[in-house]
Amino acid sequence: MVKTLEDIMQESNIVDVLRNSKIGMYVYPVVAPEFTNWRSEQNAWRNSVVVYDQSHHMDEVTVEGPDAEAFLSYVGINSFANFGTDVAKHFVPVTPEGHVIGDHIIFRLEENKFVTVGRAPTSNWIMFQAAIGKWNVKVSHDPRSDSRPDGKAIYRTHYRFQIQGPDADKIFEKINGGPVPEVKFFRVADINIGTRKVKALRHGMAGAPGLEIWGPYADKHYIQTTIQQAARDVGVEMHFVGSRAYSTNTLESGWIPSPLPGIYTGGGMMKEYREFLTENSYEAAGSIGGSYVSENIEDYYVNPFELGYGFYIGWKKDDFIGKDALAKLKDAPSNRKKVTFEWNADDVMKVISSSFKPGEKNYKWIDFPQPNYASSSADMVMHGDKMVGMSMFNGYSFNERCMLSLGVVDSSVEVGDVLELVWGEPNGGSGKTSTEPHEQTTIRVRVSPTPYSTEARTSYADSWRTKGN
Amino acid sequence: MVKTLEDIMQESNIVDVLRNSKIGMYVYPVVAPEFTNWRSEQNAWRNSVVVYDQSHHMDEVTVEGPDAEAFLSYVGINSFANFGTDVAKHFVPVTPEGHVIGDHIIFRLEENKFVTVGRAPTSNWIMFQAAIGKWNVKVSHDPRSDSRPDGKAIYRTHYRFQIQGPDADKIFEKINGGPVPEVKFFRVADINIGTRKVKALRHGMAGAPGLEIWGPYADKHYIQTTIQQAARDVGVEMHFVGSRAYSTNTLESGWIPSPLPGIYTGGGMMKEYREFLTENSYEAAGSIGGSYVSENIEDYYVNPFELGYGFYIGWKKDDFIGKDALAKLKDAPSNRKKVTFEWNADDVMKVISSSFKPGEKNYKWIDFPQPNYASSSADMVMHGDKMVGMSMFNGYSFNERCMLSLGVVDSSVEVGDVLELVWGEPNGGSGKTSTEPHEQTTIRVRVSPTPYSTEARTSYADSWRTKGN
């Protein structure tokens, strides 16, 4: 019989289980690793235009029915005011104790039909809530694509592309056969792509303007080639972004994709949820990577205020899961704040060069541009002997010529502070198959704003990053 | 109308065309980039056991009919003596002028049936020779898998696995349900894998013992899981090797996979061949990467003596393509010799650290573990102002904790000599999409034997590699 997450937790400490998961890398599947090369692809999202093929790495959940709005409004923390048809939001559910479960982008397609897109923890939670509640809704789930298709055909319900960058509008105008309707950020418009009428969301990752478009998966090839032809026609150098560069765009824009879902603790509904989740679920089979090891899984959780999502909260809603807990957490002095960590280049070189010394111990290899080696990352950030922060998502930016990571720090930490990130896992590494055996070391990091700003880049970065503290 | 290679060469210098090809990286398709992580996968081929999934990255050509042996013996330089059924050889064709075209592994499956496996240049040449000759043979071609399947199903005629490493025999014995028949190197035996009887070639890449097995592609999943189960049963830590680590195994074993096919020059049959090759062929669409730029495409060619294939040559055969030319080239003082270049770690760090300096020019990024950025690579290796060698295939070995490359050097160069490899392309980089803009620099390399030997590793490598000259 298939075990549940709760069964696993009865047998073992869940931190041990997740830190030693054999699931391997959390990958961005199906999309080619590189179309040109990952440096040029990163450069293109800042300086020309890119296409992100988001058709494969996210779950999609469709919620429809007379109670769709009431149900989702209860499950997420967000205000649902001003949430008309053809509007999207960044949807965040938390546990009754206020721990972040995950986040999706939610689109209202019709009065009674929503689609949400993102990582598995939010999908699973929505499905669970629909299953245990008495809502009049129909929920359908299209899980992300297989991580290792190995030559098998892959089908999704929808294709999904984001076209972003300073030159994006030239392409849209060409594709649409005329100016693209003026729409506000996170509003949806209809545009023409060749013979197809397509939904397009005004969006921007990595700080650049752009559109997210989607439609039936069967149209993917047609849409892709039509966009390509339009770029050629207007003489714009458009780059498709491969799976190696893709996940690093968030380091410049400041969104943390992978907080550990706060679902491993709590009784009542939470226990029921862990009995609902099987051993193969993201929550049970996924992994925690990084130097931070705590016996208490709650130490890996974050709350919405810490991720900067406080202003989403629909306080005026009658009720939603976590409302009471969040009311108490609001303005709590224990809340950390989200920052970008700039990694010191000399220290990064120290780590890399350790893998060029035969017979000596090596530090954890920093894989470029994406060194994360787990579904959720937690690296300790120290001020002297005191842990004052947690680094949660790492990556190299060729645009910044710098390793960056996103995470949270205690309220006492200020932008500009230089701290030490502990790199690598203790005791020679964990049982994860995504790590080679290694020694721990430290890397100096400078606390910087999120999103990583032009000011941070220009005012002190150049001098500090390469010349040390 | 589709252009031919000859058409292209009438319009442009072919070196310019290939150096600025937009084809992108030469990839190892379909197989997942990493199964565990590429460092551990490299380690496993030396210290435990690995499975290389070779089902996708090579062409397969089947030649059958009464003239199959005579035909192939004429096309390749190899002796066909002692080439009975169930024997394999490393098959090398050259042009009438003695330039290497490529190489395949050739298996004699039956008296009148051969299959050859490898890169496109040898496949194309075999098909051309069958087309223009009067041989009674039937040739069929199964090209390598699509480089970017993008979710489409991929089918091949055969699956092909190599199982290699010190622990390989334990697995074979378990799979076979008893000792594996004693077979000599490059001989084929029948073994049992679950319910299937399978052809198995005694083989060894990266210096370790192993078997190469193949069969109908539809059996791939069954064979793969049966091997996996056997490894589990005997308690051996078996690693599948992903596409990122795969191509680096040759750096330890010393085979150069990608000499530029010497088919761009010569009249008569060679011109006819270039009219046979379309603009989409490997030869016309592929790329040359690296610092070496010569207007004369012949400067990129190698001959079989230079690659260490001289002892294959079937001098006693009545005739074969290139026989006269090779007789003249034998022992020619101009022949270069194959070596391994050990890259100086400090200089590698200099290159990497240049991509951590905002606002400064960067050197060509060294992508790990496989920095090649073209179908064929040619980096200049200098002694002072004189070019004395050509580096042809690069990669990082975590086993050696070292960047290595394979190439050829003038006969005057000795093992132990320290030379300078020119890294990166002149004038800011070529038009290839696989390179970011960059500056050229030099990397010291120490000339070492091929295959890269234990002696080379232990006697001087430790001291030199990291401490400079």
Side-chain angles (χ1 to χ4, degrees):
Chain A
M1 218 184 95
V2 175
K3 278 190 195 176
T4 69
L5 173 57
E6 184 64 21
D7 294 335
I8 292 171
M9 291 184 62
Q10 294 301 327
E11 292 167 12
S12 320
N13 181 303
I14 189 65
V15 175
D16 288 342
V17 172
L18 299 178
R19 287 195 63 251
N20 293 287
S21 162
K22 305 282 186 202
I23 200 169
M25 303 285 177
Y26 188 84
V27 301
Y28 297 78
V30 183
V31 177
E34 292 172 296
F35 289 91
T36 57
N37 68 86
W38 61 258
R39 280 89 54 212
S40 296
E41 291 166 11
Q42 289 185 334
N43 177 68
W45 70 56
R46 188 169 289 176
N47 296 316
S48 56
V49 61
V50 294
V51 178
Y52 299 117
D53 181 353
Q54 303 182 321
S55 309
H56 295 289
H57 75 286
M58 294 186 287
D59 281 17
E60 234 182 64
V61 178
T62 306
V63 178
E64 47 196 322
D67 291 346
E69 175 174 357
F71 167 67
L72 288 164
S73 176
Y74 174 73
V75 173
I77 66 173
N78 308 68
S79 166
F80 270 48
N82 303 315
F83 194 1
T85 301
D86 285 339
V87 172
K89 284 177 179 282
H90 181 196
F91 179 79
V92 179
V94 301
T95 67
E97 295 181 74
H99 304 305
V100 166
I101 289 172
D103 55 358
H104 271 201
I105 302 299
I106 183 170
F107 300 82
R108 187 169 205 159
L109 302 179
E110 300 169 13
E111 177 62 21
N112 289 328
K113 184 174 181 182
F114 297 79
V115 67
T116 83
V117 184
R119 280 205 190 204
T122 299
S123 318
N124 293 341
W125 182 249
I126 292 172
M127 289 189 282
F128 170 71
Q129 291 299 335
I132 63 167
K134 300 209 178 302
W135 309 95
N136 189 353
V137 291
K138 185 185 139 199
V139 175
S140 48
H141 181 218
D142 182 31
R144 81 198 296 256
S145 300
D146 193 331
S147 291
R148 293 171 189 152
D150 196 32
K152 289 189 303 291
I154 297 290
Y155 299 102
R156 294 297 308 265
T157 304
H158 296 126
Y159 72 83
R160 188 172 297 275
F161 292 116
Q162 279 184 7
I163 302 118
Q164 304 268 338
D167 292 338
D169 281 339
K170 292 182 203 161
I171 297 176
F172 299 139
E173 193 153 321
K174 176 71 189 176
I175 294 173
N176 191 46
V180 173
E182 282 283 337
V183 275
K184 283 197 269 182
F185 188 70
F186 259 48
R187 297 290 189 279
V188 176
D190 290 309
I191 65 166
N192 302 306
I193 299 186
T195 60
R196 308 290 197 283
K197 194 173 278 297
V198 162
K199 291 281 180 193
L201 174 77
R202 253 298 158 198
H203 193 21
M205 289 176 88
L211 289 181
E212 175 174 322
I213 58 173
W214 68 96
Y217 189 74
D219 286 353
K220 181 170 191 273
H221 185 70
Y222 174 75
I223 297 294
Q224 193 165 334
T225 48
T226 304
I227 296 168
Q228 232 165 344
Q229 188 55 50
R232 227 173 271 138
D233 290 346
V234 296
V236 162
E237 193 186 317
M238 187 180 75
H239 285 246
F240 281 88
V241 174
S243 56
R244 290 183 67 190
Y246 176 71
S247 65
T248 64
N249 74 51
T250 199
L251 293 156
E252 296 171 40
S253 64
W255 170 66
I256 300 181
S258 55
L260 187 76
I263 56 91
Y264 302 94
T265 46
M269 180 170 76
M270 294 315 298
K271 180 160 179 290
E272 214 181 317
Y273 186 43
R274 293 190 297 272
E275 289 163 354
F276 170 90
L277 293 170
T278 70
E279 62 186 330
N280 300 317
S281 65
Y282 176 100
E283 294 82 351
S287 56
I288 297 177
S291 57
Y292 186 38
V293 182
S294 169
E295 284 295 291
N296 182 3
I297 187 90
E298 296 203 340
D299 290 339
Y300 297 92
Y301 297 174
V302 286
N303 72 45
F305 303 105
E306 297 177 323
L307 295 181
Y309 304 158
F311 72 99
Y312 296 165
I313 301 175
W315 296 113
K316 292 181 184 161
K317 295 193 290 188
D318 282 346
D319 197 17
F320 61 90
I321 299 172
K323 187 177 183 186
D324 294 346
L326 291 185
K328 283 176 200 143
L329 283 168
K330 189 169 188 294
D331 302 323
S334 59
N335 282 348
R336 296 159 295 180
K337 55 191 179 188
K338 185 165 73 170
V339 296
T340 306
F341 301 108
E342 263 185 22
W343 298 24
N344 181 277
D346 290 338
D347 294 354
V348 170
M349 289 307 126
K350 171 189 73 177
V351 171
I352 297 173
S353 67
S354 74
S355 288
F356 285 82
K357 294 176 179 167
E360 295 182 32
K361 301 264 184 163
N362 56 288
Y363 301 128
K364 172 79 195 79
W365 180 263
I366 298 175
D367 210 30
F368 290 95
Q370 181 44 272
N372 296 333
Y373 50 97
S375 342
S376 287
S377 300
D379 285 306
M380 289 194 286
V381 176
M382 311 294 294
H383 182 226
D385 288 341
K386 191 178 168 222
M387 179 167 164
V388 294
M390 181 165 78
S391 174
M392 299 169 65
F393 200 89
N394 313 320
Y396 171 79
S397 166
F398 189 68
N399 293 329
E400 299 294 345
R401 300 285 202 275
C402 191
M403 278 288 304
L404 297 170
S405 62
L406 299 169
V408 291
V409 291
D410 293 351
S411 58
S412 62
V413 173
E414 302 287 346
V415 164
D417 286 357
V418 175
L419 306 171
E420 283 192 325
L421 183 150
V422 182
W423 177 244
E425 302 190 313
N427 307 315
S430 63
K432 280 187 290 295
T433 54
S434 53
T435 56
E436 75 285 3
H438 61 268
E439 298 284 296
Q440 267 189 337
T441 188
T442 56
I443 294 173
R444 283 166 293 172
V445 296
R446 183 155 185 149
V447 178
S448 307
T450 300
Y452 190 62
S453 70
T454 311
E455 193 197 330
R457 291 204 303 271
T458 52
S459 65
Y460 55 76
D462 288 3
S463 57
W464 178 76
R465 270 193 226 144
T466 54
K467 292 182 186 118
N469 182 17
Chain B
M1 218 184 95
V2 175
K3 277 189 194 176
T4 69
L5 172 58
E6 184 63 22
D7 293 335
I8 292 171
M9 291 184 63
Q10 294 301 326
E11 292 166 13
S12 319
N13 180 304
I14 189 65
V15 174
D16 288 342
V17 172
L18 299 178
R19 287 195 63 251
N20 294 288
S21 162
K22 304 283 185 200
I23 199 169
M25 303 283 175
Y26 187 84
V27 300
Y28 297 79
V30 183
V31 177
E34 292 172 297
F35 289 91
T36 57
N37 67 85
W38 61 258
R39 281 86 57 210
S40 297
E41 292 166 9
Q42 289 184 335
N43 177 68
W45 69 57
R46 187 169 291 177
N47 296 315
S48 56
V49 61
V50 293
V51 179
Y52 298 118
D53 182 352
Q54 303 182 322
S55 310
H56 295 289
H57 75 285
M58 294 186 287
D59 280 17
E60 234 182 64
V61 179
T62 305
V63 178
E64 48 198 321
D67 291 347
E69 175 174 356
F71 168 67
L72 288 164
S73 174
Y74 174 73
V75 173
I77 66 172
N78 307 68
S79 166
F80 269 48
N82 303 315
F83 195 1
T85 302
D86 286 339
V87 171
K89 284 176 179 283
H90 182 195
F91 179 78
V92 179
V94 301
T95 67
E97 294 180 76
H99 304 305
V100 167
I101 290 172
D103 54 358
H104 272 200
I105 303 299
I106 183 170
F107 301 82
R108 187 171 206 157
L109 303 178
E110 299 169 14
E111 176 62 22
N112 289 330
K113 184 175 181 182
F114 297 79
V115 66
T116 83
V117 183
R119 281 207 189 202
T122 299
S123 318
N124 293 342
W125 182 249
I126 292 171
M127 289 188 284
F128 171 69
Q129 290 300 334
I132 62 166
K134 301 211 178 297
W135 310 95
N136 189 353
V137 291
K138 185 185 139 199
V139 174
S140 48
H141 180 220
D142 182 30
R144 82 197 295 256
S145 300
D146 193 330
S147 291
R148 294 173 189 151
D150 196 33
K152 290 190 302 291
I154 297 290
Y155 299 102
R156 294 297 309 264
T157 304
H158 295 127
Y159 71 83
R160 187 172 300 275
F161 293 117
Q162 280 184 5
I163 302 122
Q164 304 268 338
D167 292 338
D169 281 338
K170 293 181 204 162
I171 298 176
F172 298 140
E173 194 153 320
K174 175 71 188 175
I175 295 173
N176 192 44
V180 173
E182 283 282 339
V183 274
K184 284 197 269 183
F185 187 71
F186 259 47
R187 297 291 190 278
V188 176
D190 291 307
I191 65 167
N192 302 306
I193 299 186
T195 59
R196 306 292 197 284
K197 194 173 276 300
V198 162
K199 291 282 180 193
L201 173 78
R202 256 297 161 198
H203 193 22
M205 288 177 87
L211 289 181
E212 175 173 322
I213 59 175
W214 68 96
Y217 189 73
D219 287 352
K220 180 170 191 272
H221 185 69
Y222 174 77
I223 296 294
Q224 193 165 336
T225 49
T226 305
I227 296 169
Q228 232 166 343
Q229 188 55 50
R232 229 174 268 138
D233 290 345
V234 296
V236 161
E237 192 186 318
M238 186 179 77
H239 285 246
F240 281 87
V241 173
S243 55
R244 290 182 67 190
Y246 176 71
S247 64
T248 64
N249 74 51
T250 200
L251 293 157
E252 298 172 38
S253 64
W255 171 65
I256 299 180
S258 53
L260 186 76
I263 57 91
Y264 302 93
T265 45
M269 179 169 77
M270 295 314 299
K271 179 161 182 288
E272 212 179 320
Y273 186 45
R274 294 190 296 273
E275 289 162 354
F276 170 90
L277 293 170
T278 72
E279 62 185 332
N280 300 316
S281 64
Y282 176 101
E283 294 81 350
S287 56
I288 295 177
S291 58
Y292 186 39
V293 182
S294 169
E295 285 294 292
N296 181 3
I297 188 89
E298 296 204 341
D299 290 339
Y300 296 92
Y301 296 173
V302 286
N303 73 44
F305 303 106
E306 298 177 322
L307 295 180
Y309 304 157
F311 72 100
Y312 297 165
I313 300 176
W315 294 115
K316 291 182 184 159
K317 295 192 291 188
D318 281 345
D319 196 17
F320 63 90
I321 300 171
K323 188 177 182 185
D324 293 345
L326 292 184
K328 281 176 203 145
L329 283 168
K330 189 171 189 292
D331 303 320
S334 59
N335 283 347
R336 294 158 297 179
K337 55 192 177 187
K338 185 165 72 168
V339 295
T340 306
F341 300 108
E342 263 184 21
W343 296 25
N344 181 277
D346 290 337
D347 294 353
V348 170
M349 290 306 126
K350 171 190 74 177
V351 171
I352 297 173
S353 67
S354 74
S355 287
F356 286 81
K357 293 177 180 165
E360 294 183 30
K361 301 263 183 163
N362 57 287
Y363 301 128
K364 171 81 195 79
W365 179 263
I366 298 176
D367 210 30
F368 292 93
Q370 180 45 271
N372 296 332
Y373 51 96
S375 341
S376 288
S377 300
D379 284 308
M380 288 193 285
V381 176
M382 311 293 294
H383 183 227
D385 289 341
K386 191 180 169 219
M387 180 169 165
V388 294
M390 180 166 77
S391 175
M392 299 167 66
F393 200 89
N394 312 320
Y396 171 77
S397 166
F398 189 69
N399 293 329
E400 300 295 346
R401 300 286 201 275
C402 191
M403 278 288 306
L404 297 171
S405 63
L406 300 169
V408 291
V409 290
D410 292 352
S411 58
S412 61
V413 173
E414 301 288 345
V415 164
D417 285 358
V418 175
L419 305 171
E420 282 192 326
L421 183 149
V422 181
W423 178 245
E425 301 190 313
N427 306 318
S430 63
K432 280 187 289 296
T433 55
S434 54
T435 57
E436 76 285 3
H438 61 268
E439 297 284 295
Q440 267 191 336
T441 187
T442 57
I443 294 173
R444 284 166 292 172
V445 296
R446 182 153 185 148
V447 178
S448 306
T450 299
Y452 190 61
S453 71
T454 311
E455 193 197 333
R457 292 203 304 272
T458 54
S459 65
Y460 57 76
D462 289 2
S463 59
W464 178 76
R465 271 193 225 145
T466 55
K467 293 183 187 114
N469 182 18

